[in-house]
Amino acid sequence: MSKLPPGDCDYVIVGGGSAGCLAAWRLIAETGARVVLLEVGGEYRGPYLKLTPGYSRIVPKGRHCAIHRTVPQRHLEGRELEIATGRVLGGGSSVNAQVYMRGHASDYDQWGLSAGSTLWSWDALLPNFRRLEGNQKFNDEFHGSDGPLQVADPGFTCEYSHLFVKAGQTLGLPFTADFNRGAPRGVGYFQVTSRGGRRCSAVDAYLDKVRSDSRLSVVTGARVSRILLEQQRATGVEYVHRGQRRVLRCHGEVLLAAGAFESPKLLMLSGIGAAGQLRQFDIPVCVDLPGVGQNLQDHCGSPIVLRGNAPGRGYFRQDRGWRLAANLLEYALFRRGRLTTVGGEASSFHVVEEGSGEATVQVWCVPNVDYANTTVDNVPPVDGLKLHVNLLRPRSVGSLSLRSADPAAPALIDPDYLGDARDLEQLVQGLRIARELASAAPLRQAVSQELLPGPAVQDGAGLAAYVRQTLRTDWHPVGTCRMGRSTDPTSVVSDRLKVHGVEGIRVIDASVMPNIVTANTNAPTMALADRGLSLMLSEGVPQSGVDIPPGETEDAAHAFAQ
């Protein structure tokens, strides 16, 4: 490898979420490079972050999230929706519902088609999924059992979840023991990134393994203002830490892992984006790249809300009073019980569109109505459950743009939910499927009333109006730095995740996905980042002027650090 002049570091990683923590781990564990990880949020601390109960109000997620507001949505009666993203080390993996899903093989094959490359496909990414995974139950051609990311069945499964799975089988859905073999179908229980009642975030899985290495510097509370560019090459970043402007120089690469909102925003602030918009804010244009901020995609959906007819089947008010005390005691003594669940344990997949036969709608069983979407009729908290209908393959595509040249100003976010009329049609069909599930034995014996949308809403027009009034995000934004061919004016990065038109910038987070996967996005983002790191490392690693022969990485790295 070539010798380079000394600098502050070899790599800067912007964003300490799932992708950023993984990148730091691999760079430190596998190379002699010096790495700086910059995260705008705080440290991954506090026992409530490491507990698993997604149903519980004792977990103050808002403290560790950035809340982004969309522009008024023209197809949702002008509503502005809130989309939360992780603002803490570990990012979304530290605050999410911990669901481990991969989606359909065709999702990843489409990435390769969009990029015109054989580097991306289900077969190409499966080894990355497997090598990262430490599955408690599976160890086969689809799963790994000794990787750093802990994956297991939920520690507790409530009665509503069991009734839901049985109801699905009553309707003829096959029971599926494993949703992660590339073709999710039927009904069953999902796995989660936790074990023994403890969350396994990207900090737990990756960053903590190298945190003590002197070659790694982790700076929290650091807001990156722009990437420094000289002659079309990134040379470092400018950031603000504790009120002070700082400059960090690197002679390797700047790795963007700040997510689908912040990664494109930072590119634009650095002069990489649509020239017209950049000039509007007096930002010097480095690369006219109109695809930056375009292609925003997100999962969304609406719930059927049901009142139960007997207490104790779900998680209603299990996080307060004597119930909370009992649950905490059971957890403390035995590491079992309701505090070892993520708040939902079962799901079903449904084909509601003619064509490939692949699922387009998913129904989540959420055994709690305490914080249901109650924008209609002010439904009070009740003991019951929601059947949340999720659109797996949204056709609506939105965008993100700058509000100003101030790095602290939030971006203008327009997902354009239901911008394609076919999305609304599929969600209406999904609500009808959810009603069929609620009416199927044995779930129907546990339900006394449909609260939302209510038995009076039966026709397509009424259900469509209900969707427009209640649709919410599933917090899975992707696609705003889309991977594609260099000849495609809407693409932002190459098949090796390098930003078109400049050297030394690579994007390794969910913003590069050309199309959203039919799954929760955390596990796919980790596999994507892992593959991106492999592609980068295959090109050689700058070592601050130090050549490290193969097999001598560890000794040379320690000598360099001293």
Side-chain angles (χ1 to χ4, degrees):
M1 58 190 70
S2 61
K3 294 182 179 180
L4 296 172
D8 295 321
C9 64
D10 299 302
Y11 291 96
V12 177
I13 303 171
V14 180
S18 296
C21 288
L22 185 148
W25 165 62
R26 288 203 59 185
L27 287 171
I28 294 299
E30 299 176 30
T31 78
R34 295 178 304 173
V35 180
V36 178
L37 174 64
L38 301 175
E39 164 57 39
V40 69
E43 287 283 347
Y44 175 64
R45 290 200 185 105
Y48 47 80
L49 280 177
K50 301 195 176 185
L51 290 173
T52 59
Y55 71 87
S56 176
R57 288 183 178 177
I58 68 173
V59 183
K61 291 184 179 179
R63 187 182 305 172
H64 305 287
C65 293
I67 306 299
H68 309 269
R69 292 190 69 85
T70 71
V71 300
Q73 293 298 283
R74 57 197 179 108
H75 300 288
L76 304 182
E77 301 182 349
R79 289 192 293 131
E80 297 179 9
L81 274 63
E82 292 184 347
I83 305 176
T85 59
R87 190 185 174 95
V88 62
L89 273 180
S93 72
S94 296
V95 296
N96 65 5
Q98 302 152 73
V99 175
Y100 184 83
M101 287 277 199
R102 298 175 180 173
H104 203 282
S106 63
D107 302 336
Y108 304 94
D109 293 340
Q110 184 59 49
W111 291 4
L113 292 173
S114 296
S117 172
T118 59
L119 293 177
W120 297 92
S121 66
W122 168 257
D123 290 339
L125 276 158
L126 185 56
N128 300 95
F129 279 115
R130 291 187 69 251
R131 91 177 198 93
L132 296 178
E133 184 183 13
N135 202 296
Q136 181 186 47
K137 181 167 66 176
F138 299 119
N139 183 31
D140 54 27
E141 62 181 306
F142 295 100
H143 294 281
S145 61
D146 53 8
L149 182 67
Q150 299 296 294
V151 178
D153 294 340
F156 182 88
T157 303
C158 73
E159 184 62 19
Y160 275 140
S161 297
H162 292 310
L163 295 174
F164 172 83
V165 171
K166 293 175 184 177
Q169 293 175 81
T170 298
L171 294 180
L173 294 176
F175 175 76
T176 301
D178 180 10
F179 286 133
N180 289 312
R181 299 170 70 88
R185 60 192 293 269
V187 63
Y189 307 94
F190 50 79
Q191 291 197 296
V192 294
T193 52
S194 67
R195 187 175 296 182
R198 301 282 286 183
R199 176 190 295 271
C200 184
S201 74
V203 178
D204 301 309
Y206 313 119
L207 190 62
D208 279 352
K209 291 177 170 52
V210 295
R211 190 72 182 269
S212 61
D213 196 294
S214 60
R215 292 169 295 143
L216 174 65
S217 296
V218 178
V219 184
T220 56
R223 178 184 293 280
V224 178
S225 306
R226 64 188 178 102
I227 301 169
L228 304 176
L229 296 163
E230 296 178 10
Q231 297 180 346
Q232 303 298 106
R233 178 175 180 83
T235 59
V237 298
E238 178 186 294
Y239 67 100
V240 177
H241 184 241
R242 297 178 180 172
Q244 299 294 316
R245 175 187 173 275
R246 302 173 187 270
V247 171
L248 179 66
R249 298 283 179 179
C250 76
H251 55 70
E253 295 194 29
V254 174
L255 303 182
L256 288 188
F261 295 152
E262 295 301 323
S263 286
K265 176 184 166 185
L266 184 56
L267 287 176
M268 289 187 276
L269 290 171
S270 307
I272 303 171
Q277 183 184 169
L278 301 183
R279 294 189 182 107
Q280 178 185 348
F281 298 111
D282 297 322
I283 299 173
V285 179
C286 176
V287 182
D288 182 8
L289 209 56
V292 176
Q294 302 302 304
N295 193 50
L296 174 59
Q297 300 169 47
D298 189 16
H299 291 137
C300 60
S302 290
I304 297 287
V305 182
L306 306 166
R307 183 195 293 269
N309 59 19
R313 292 191 175 110
Y315 297 115
F316 181 67
R317 293 186 174 169
Q318 291 291 327
D319 57 351
R320 64 193 72 180
W322 67 267
R323 295 183 183 90
L324 174 59
N327 291 332
L328 285 169
L329 181 62
E330 183 178 19
Y331 178 83
L333 292 176
F334 307 110
R335 284 288 178 92
R336 70 186 187 198
R338 288 173 172 82
L339 287 185
T340 65
T341 185
V342 298
E345 301 101 9
S347 184
S348 59
F349 293 84
H350 308 271
V351 179
V352 299
E353 182 180 68
E354 298 291 334
S356 68
E358 297 173 6
T360 52
V361 162
Q362 182 180 12
V363 178
W364 293 93
C365 177
V366 184
N368 197 3
V369 183
D370 212 1
Y371 54 93
N373 184 335
T374 55
T375 57
V376 176
D377 298 332
N378 296 316
V379 172
V382 296
D383 195 340
L385 71 157
K386 294 183 293 181
L387 300 184
H388 178 71
V389 179
N390 171 45
L391 187 64
L392 287 174
R393 300 175 183 272
R395 287 187 170 93
S396 303
V397 176
S399 63
L400 173 145
S401 58
L402 291 179
R403 188 182 300 267
S404 77
D406 179 4
L412 292 168
I413 298 170
D414 182 10
D416 197 25
Y417 295 118
L418 306 185
D420 189 307
R422 290 170 293 183
D423 289 350
L424 179 59
E425 293 170 5
Q426 291 194 20
L427 285 172
V428 168
Q429 292 183 64
L431 290 175
R432 291 189 170 118
I433 289 171
R435 278 178 162 169
E436 291 178 6
L437 287 163
S439 299
L443 185 57
R444 69 167 179 262
Q445 282 85 14
V447 173
S448 64
Q449 183 184 3
E450 180 186 297
L451 299 175
L452 291 176
V457 182
Q458 293 293 331
D459 65 353
L463 290 172
Y466 170 75
V467 170
R468 286 191 290 268
Q469 293 164 351
T470 61
L471 182 136
R472 45 151 281 189
T473 169
D474 282 357
W475 302 293
H476 296 158
V478 307
T480 48
C481 297
R482 186 174 84 78
M483 182 187 351
R485 298 174 174 87
S486 60
T487 55
D488 182 348
T490 66
S491 74
V492 177
V493 302
S494 70
D495 59 348
R496 304 187 78 89
L497 307 188
K498 295 180 179 181
V499 174
H500 296 313
V502 291
E503 295 293 328
I505 308 177
R506 210 175 296 240
V507 187
I508 59 170
D509 59 30
S511 66
V512 306
M513 296 181 182
N515 52 277
I516 196 167
V517 294
T518 53
N520 300 65
T521 51
N522 188 46
T525 298
M526 292 180 180
L528 180 158
D530 192 51
R531 179 136 184 84
L533 262 291
S534 294
L535 293 172
M536 184 183 76
L537 294 177
S538 70
E539 300 171 7
V541 181
Q543 298 293 343
S544 302
V546 178
D547 284 320
I548 301 179
E552 300 180 17
T553 302
E554 184 173 355
D555 293 340
H558 285 299
F560 177 73
Q562 294 171 358

mmCIF file of all heavy atoms in Angstrom, residues 14 37 70 93 143-144 165 184 194 203 299 323 333 353-354 383 440 458 467 485 512 516-517 530 545:
data_model
loop_
_atom_site.group_PDB
_atom_site.id
_atom_site.type_symbol
_atom_site.label_atom_id
_atom_site.label_comp_id
_atom_site.label_asym_id
_atom_site.label_seq_id
_atom_site.Cartn_x
_atom_site.Cartn_y
_atom_site.Cartn_z
ATOM 1 N N VAL A 14 -18.780 9.586 9.939
ATOM 2 C CA VAL A 14 -19.784 10.556 10.366
ATOM 3 C C VAL A 14 -21.073 9.798 10.667
ATOM 4 O O VAL A 14 -21.754 9.315 9.761
ATOM 5 C CB VAL A 14 -20.026 11.620 9.276
ATOM 6 C CG1 VAL A 14 -21.073 12.624 9.747
ATOM 7 C CG2 VAL A 14 -18.725 12.319 8.923
ATOM 8 N N LEU A 37 -14.663 8.527 15.043
ATOM 9 C CA LEU A 37 -16.109 8.369 14.873
ATOM 10 C C LEU A 37 -16.794 9.576 15.506
ATOM 11 O O LEU A 37 -16.642 9.831 16.705
ATOM 12 C CB LEU A 37 -16.578 7.078 15.545
ATOM 13 C CG LEU A 37 -18.084 6.808 15.593
ATOM 14 C CD1 LEU A 37 -18.640 6.644 14.190
ATOM 15 C CD2 LEU A 37 -18.379 5.573 16.423
ATOM 16 N N THR A 70 -42.262 16.151 8.934
ATOM 17 C CA THR A 70 -42.418 16.259 7.492
ATOM 18 C C THR A 70 -43.099 17.580 7.140
ATOM 19 O O THR A 70 -43.702 18.232 8.003
ATOM 20 C CB THR A 70 -43.271 15.114 6.935
ATOM 21 O OG1 THR A 70 -44.648 15.302 7.345
ATOM 22 C CG2 THR A 70 -42.777 13.760 7.426
ATOM 23 N N SER A 93 -30.446 1.274 16.319
ATOM 24 C CA SER A 93 -30.319 -0.015 16.997
ATOM 25 C C SER A 93 -30.384 0.125 18.508
ATOM 26 O O SER A 93 -30.613 -0.864 19.209
ATOM 27 C CB SER A 93 -29.004 -0.697 16.602
ATOM 28 O OG SER A 93 -27.887 -0.059 17.190
ATOM 29 N N HIS A 143 -28.279 -18.743 8.146
ATOM 30 C CA HIS A 143 -28.038 -18.109 9.444
ATOM 31 C C HIS A 143 -26.670 -18.464 9.999
ATOM 32 O O HIS A 143 -26.177 -19.579 9.808
ATOM 33 C CB HIS A 143 -29.100 -18.536 10.457
ATOM 34 C CG HIS A 143 -30.479 -18.065 10.130
ATOM 35 N ND1 HIS A 143 -30.900 -16.789 10.382
ATOM 36 C CD2 HIS A 143 -31.521 -18.705 9.551
ATOM 37 C CE1 HIS A 143 -32.169 -16.663 9.980
ATOM 38 N NE2 HIS A 143 -32.561 -17.810 9.469
ATOM 39 N N GLY A 144 -26.093 -17.502 10.724
ATOM 40 C CA GLY A 144 -24.879 -17.744 11.481
ATOM 41 C C GLY A 144 -25.192 -17.780 12.962
ATOM 42 O O GLY A 144 -26.165 -17.168 13.421
ATOM 43 N N VAL A 165 -51.472 -15.702 15.687
ATOM 44 C CA VAL A 165 -50.836 -16.709 14.833
ATOM 45 C C VAL A 165 -51.814 -17.838 14.516
ATOM 46 O O VAL A 165 -51.884 -18.331 13.385
ATOM 47 C CB VAL A 165 -49.556 -17.234 15.504
ATOM 48 C CG1 VAL A 165 -48.991 -18.436 14.742
ATOM 49 C CG2 VAL A 165 -48.502 -16.128 15.574
ATOM 50 N N PRO A 184 -40.215 -14.191 2.848
ATOM 51 C CA PRO A 184 -41.153 -14.162 3.973
ATOM 52 C C PRO A 184 -42.590 -14.367 3.514
ATOM 53 O O PRO A 184 -43.043 -13.737 2.559
ATOM 54 C CB PRO A 184 -40.945 -12.772 4.566
ATOM 55 C CG PRO A 184 -40.348 -11.967 3.460
ATOM 56 C CD PRO A 184 -39.533 -12.914 2.658
ATOM 57 N N SER A 194 -31.820 -9.205 20.521
ATOM 58 C CA SER A 194 -31.641 -9.193 21.972
ATOM 59 C C SER A 194 -31.530 -10.639 22.431
ATOM 60 O O SER A 194 -31.823 -11.571 21.685
ATOM 61 C CB SER A 194 -32.821 -8.505 22.672
ATOM 62 O OG SER A 194 -34.012 -9.270 22.524
ATOM 63 N N VAL A 203 -23.645 -0.804 19.325
ATOM 64 C CA VAL A 203 -22.573 -0.561 20.297
ATOM 65 C C VAL A 203 -22.180 -1.869 20.961
ATOM 66 O O VAL A 203 -20.991 -2.200 21.075
ATOM 67 C CB VAL A 203 -23.022 0.478 21.345
ATOM 68 C CG1 VAL A 203 -21.924 0.691 22.387
ATOM 69 C CG2 VAL A 203 -23.385 1.791 20.680
ATOM 70 N N HIS A 299 -41.633 3.027 4.884
ATOM 71 C CA HIS A 299 -42.802 2.193 5.161
ATOM 72 C C HIS A 299 -43.829 3.006 5.935
ATOM 73 O O HIS A 299 -43.479 3.872 6.750
ATOM 74 C CB HIS A 299 -42.412 0.968 5.992
ATOM 75 C CG HIS A 299 -41.570 -0.023 5.255
ATOM 76 N ND1 HIS A 299 -40.475 -0.645 5.809
ATOM 77 C CD2 HIS A 299 -41.665 -0.498 3.990
ATOM 78 C CE1 HIS A 299 -39.941 -1.466 4.923
ATOM 79 N NE2 HIS A 299 -40.643 -1.379 3.807
ATOM 80 N N ARG A 323 -48.032 -3.716 38.777
ATOM 81 C CA ARG A 323 -47.645 -4.603 37.677
ATOM 82 C C ARG A 323 -46.186 -4.365 37.287
ATOM 83 O O ARG A 323 -45.435 -5.307 37.038
ATOM 84 C CB ARG A 323 -48.550 -4.390 36.465
ATOM 85 C CG ARG A 323 -50.011 -4.777 36.684
ATOM 86 C CD ARG A 323 -50.800 -4.592 35.398
ATOM 87 N NE ARG A 323 -52.219 -4.893 35.568
ATOM 88 C CZ ARG A 323 -53.127 -4.010 35.920
ATOM 89 N NH1 ARG A 323 -52.766 -2.753 36.159
ATOM 90 N NH2 ARG A 323 -54.396 -4.347 36.060
ATOM 91 N N LEU A 333 -34.772 -11.073 39.190
ATOM 92 C CA LEU A 333 -34.447 -12.364 39.794
ATOM 93 C C LEU A 333 -34.152 -13.444 38.768
ATOM 94 O O LEU A 333 -33.253 -14.278 38.962
ATOM 95 C CB LEU A 333 -35.606 -12.816 40.696
ATOM 96 C CG LEU A 333 -35.845 -11.990 41.959
ATOM 97 C CD1 LEU A 333 -37.083 -12.496 42.688
ATOM 98 C CD2 LEU A 333 -34.626 -12.037 42.886
ATOM 99 N N GLU A 353 -51.762 -7.915 -4.498
ATOM 100 C CA GLU A 353 -51.622 -7.379 -5.834
ATOM 101 C C GLU A 353 -51.238 -8.496 -6.793
ATOM 102 O O GLU A 353 -50.414 -9.357 -6.483
ATOM 103 C CB GLU A 353 -50.533 -6.288 -5.849
ATOM 104 C CG GLU A 353 -50.347 -5.620 -7.193
ATOM 105 C CD GLU A 353 -49.256 -4.560 -7.125
ATOM 106 O OE1 GLU A 353 -48.085 -4.920 -6.949
ATOM 107 O OE2 GLU A 353 -49.598 -3.383 -7.244
ATOM 108 N N GLU A 354 -51.842 -8.472 -7.943
ATOM 109 C CA GLU A 354 -51.510 -9.456 -8.967
ATOM 110 C C GLU A 354 -50.071 -9.235 -9.447
ATOM 111 O O GLU A 354 -49.588 -8.113 -9.501
ATOM 112 C CB GLU A 354 -52.458 -9.321 -10.163
ATOM 113 C CG GLU A 354 -53.913 -9.578 -9.842
ATOM 114 C CD GLU A 354 -54.187 -11.030 -9.511
ATOM 115 O OE1 GLU A 354 -53.416 -11.883 -9.989
ATOM 116 O OE2 GLU A 354 -55.147 -11.301 -8.773
ATOM 117 N N ASP A 383 -57.642 -1.985 27.255
ATOM 118 C CA ASP A 383 -56.977 -3.283 27.203
ATOM 119 C C ASP A 383 -57.385 -3.947 25.887
ATOM 120 O O ASP A 383 -58.555 -4.284 25.686
ATOM 121 C CB ASP A 383 -57.411 -4.137 28.393
ATOM 122 C CG ASP A 383 -56.504 -5.336 28.593
ATOM 123 O OD1 ASP A 383 -55.796 -5.713 27.639
ATOM 124 O OD2 ASP A 383 -56.482 -5.890 29.699
ATOM 125 N N ALA A 440 -61.340 -14.207 12.830
ATOM 126 C CA ALA A 440 -61.052 -15.640 12.734
ATOM 127 C C ALA A 440 -60.795 -16.217 14.113
ATOM 128 O O ALA A 440 -60.182 -15.576 14.979
ATOM 129 C CB ALA A 440 -59.839 -15.874 11.837
ATOM 130 N N GLN A 458 -67.231 0.641 6.326
ATOM 131 C CA GLN A 458 -67.140 -0.614 5.599
ATOM 132 C C GLN A 458 -66.744 -0.447 4.134
ATOM 133 O O GLN A 458 -66.006 -1.270 3.596
ATOM 134 C CB GLN A 458 -68.489 -1.348 5.663
ATOM 135 C CG GLN A 458 -68.867 -1.833 7.057
ATOM 136 C CD GLN A 458 -67.946 -2.935 7.563
ATOM 137 O OE1 GLN A 458 -67.392 -3.699 6.780
ATOM 138 N NE2 GLN A 458 -67.781 -3.002 8.880
ATOM 139 N N VAL A 467 -57.585 5.748 6.318
ATOM 140 C CA VAL A 467 -56.137 5.646 6.105
ATOM 141 C C VAL A 467 -55.525 7.035 6.029
ATOM 142 O O VAL A 467 -54.487 7.311 6.648
ATOM 143 C CB VAL A 467 -55.824 4.841 4.829
ATOM 144 C CG1 VAL A 467 -54.345 4.950 4.474
ATOM 145 C CG2 VAL A 467 -56.214 3.385 5.003
ATOM 146 N N ARG A 485 -25.882 3.649 -11.576
ATOM 147 C CA ARG A 485 -24.858 3.832 -12.605
ATOM 148 C C ARG A 485 -24.414 5.293 -12.647
ATOM 149 O O ARG A 485 -25.209 6.199 -12.397
ATOM 150 C CB ARG A 485 -25.398 3.429 -13.979
ATOM 151 C CG ARG A 485 -25.810 1.972 -14.104
ATOM 152 C CD ARG A 485 -26.468 1.742 -15.456
ATOM 153 N NE ARG A 485 -26.774 0.341 -15.709
ATOM 154 C CZ ARG A 485 -27.891 -0.269 -15.332
ATOM 155 N NH1 ARG A 485 -28.810 0.423 -14.670
ATOM 156 N NH2 ARG A 485 -28.074 -1.535 -15.615
ATOM 157 N N VAL A 512 -28.322 4.717 0.703
ATOM 158 C CA VAL A 512 -27.877 4.261 -0.626
ATOM 159 C C VAL A 512 -28.819 3.228 -1.227
ATOM 160 O O VAL A 512 -28.668 2.861 -2.398
ATOM 161 C CB VAL A 512 -26.442 3.687 -0.588
ATOM 162 C CG1 VAL A 512 -25.482 4.681 0.029
ATOM 163 C CG2 VAL A 512 -26.377 2.351 0.145
ATOM 164 N N ILE A 516 -36.557 0.376 -1.132
ATOM 165 C CA ILE A 516 -36.707 -0.045 0.253
ATOM 166 C C ILE A 516 -36.915 -1.550 0.312
ATOM 167 O O ILE A 516 -37.532 -2.149 -0.573
ATOM 168 C CB ILE A 516 -37.876 0.712 0.928
ATOM 169 C CG1 ILE A 516 -37.798 0.587 2.459
ATOM 170 C CG2 ILE A 516 -39.226 0.247 0.395
ATOM 171 C CD1 ILE A 516 -38.732 1.551 3.181
ATOM 172 N N VAL A 517 -36.376 -2.184 1.339
ATOM 173 C CA VAL A 517 -36.546 -3.624 1.506
ATOM 174 C C VAL A 517 -37.891 -3.900 2.165
ATOM 175 O O VAL A 517 -38.465 -3.049 2.847
ATOM 176 C CB VAL A 517 -35.408 -4.221 2.355
ATOM 177 C CG1 VAL A 517 -34.078 -4.110 1.623
ATOM 178 C CG2 VAL A 517 -35.314 -3.545 3.723
ATOM 179 N N ASP A 530 -21.561 -3.707 6.056
ATOM 180 C CA ASP A 530 -20.510 -4.721 6.104
ATOM 181 C C ASP A 530 -19.971 -5.027 4.709
ATOM 182 O O ASP A 530 -18.757 -5.137 4.498
ATOM 183 C CB ASP A 530 -21.056 -5.993 6.750
ATOM 184 C CG ASP A 530 -19.967 -6.982 7.109
ATOM 185 O OD1 ASP A 530 -18.994 -6.581 7.778
ATOM 186 O OD2 ASP A 530 -20.074 -8.158 6.715
ATOM 187 N N GLY A 545 1.303 6.659 6.218
ATOM 188 C CA GLY A 545 2.705 6.553 5.861
ATOM 189 C C GLY A 545 3.370 5.317 6.383
ATOM 190 O O GLY A 545 4.574 5.131 6.226
#
